[in-house]
Amino acid sequence: MRTLTAPAFLAASLSNKPSRVLKRALPGLTSRKTAHKLGLMAFGEMVADKSPRALPRINPKVIAGRIIAGAITGAAVSRERKGAKVGLALVGAAAAIASSYFFYGFRTLASDKLKVPNLLAGLIEDGLALALGSRLSGELR
């Protein structure tokens, strides 16, 4: 739903007592400092998303960033498990594309058809992103 939410939750999860192997494989994502910065950036993205000047999430430039973040997150998750890193990177990229289009449709439906204020629709999305991120990062522990 958001470009930086998954990387922020992943970094927060990985920074809690990372193994030596994980520290060597993903030194940036296992750092508490990186986790904190990604968390702040994700919060900033949530705030900026409410602006009427924000580009739609399906804009090619925006979706490209989401695809990259999804692929990196998927590959990073696979570092802790044996298996195909490329496969989980592709799953992460596909999830980024699917969620971008699905939640673009949700937001458009809520705002345009159901007359839900854009701010409220965005806050509902944020709550859902935080709940899902929390749940999924709990599964990594």
Side-chain angles (χ1 to χ4, degrees):
M1 283 179 257
R2 303 274 183 259
T3 304
L4 295 172
T5 304
F9 271 108
L10 179 64
S13 181
L14 294 179
S15 69
N16 291 324
K17 298 183 184 177
S19 66
R20 273 195 193 128
V21 173
L22 202 52
K23 280 185 179 180
R24 280 196 305 270
L26 299 165
L29 285 178
T30 58
S31 157
R32 288 190 188 273
K33 193 180 283 188
T34 299
H36 180 71
K37 287 179 183 177
L38 279 171
L40 289 174
M41 290 169 60
F43 177 75
E45 179 185 23
M46 287 181 179
V47 171
D49 173 70
K50 311 310 175 283
S51 168
R53 295 175 49 142
L55 292 173
R57 69 190 75 204
I58 60 171
N59 176 289
K61 292 177 186 175
V62 176
I63 205 165
R66 288 170 182 259
I67 291 168
I68 291 167
I72 290 170
T73 303
V77 168
S78 72
R79 294 285 187 159
E80 209 170 282
R81 295 162 176 73
K82 292 184 180 186
K85 292 164 189 55
V86 173
L88 284 178
L90 291 174
V91 168
I97 294 167
S99 68
S100 293
Y101 279 94
F102 179 83
F103 284 100
Y104 176 79
F106 165 79
R107 188 88 165 259
T108 303
L109 173 72
S111 311
D112 297 350
K113 305 284 187 215
L114 302 176
K115 304 299 181 202
V116 173
N118 187 47
L119 176 63
L120 180 58
L123 291 173
I124 292 168
E125 277 185 326
D126 292 343
L128 189 55
L130 293 172
L132 288 172
S134 179
R135 168 101 188 204
L136 293 173
S137 65
E139 297 292 326
L140 292 174
R141 294 184 188 127

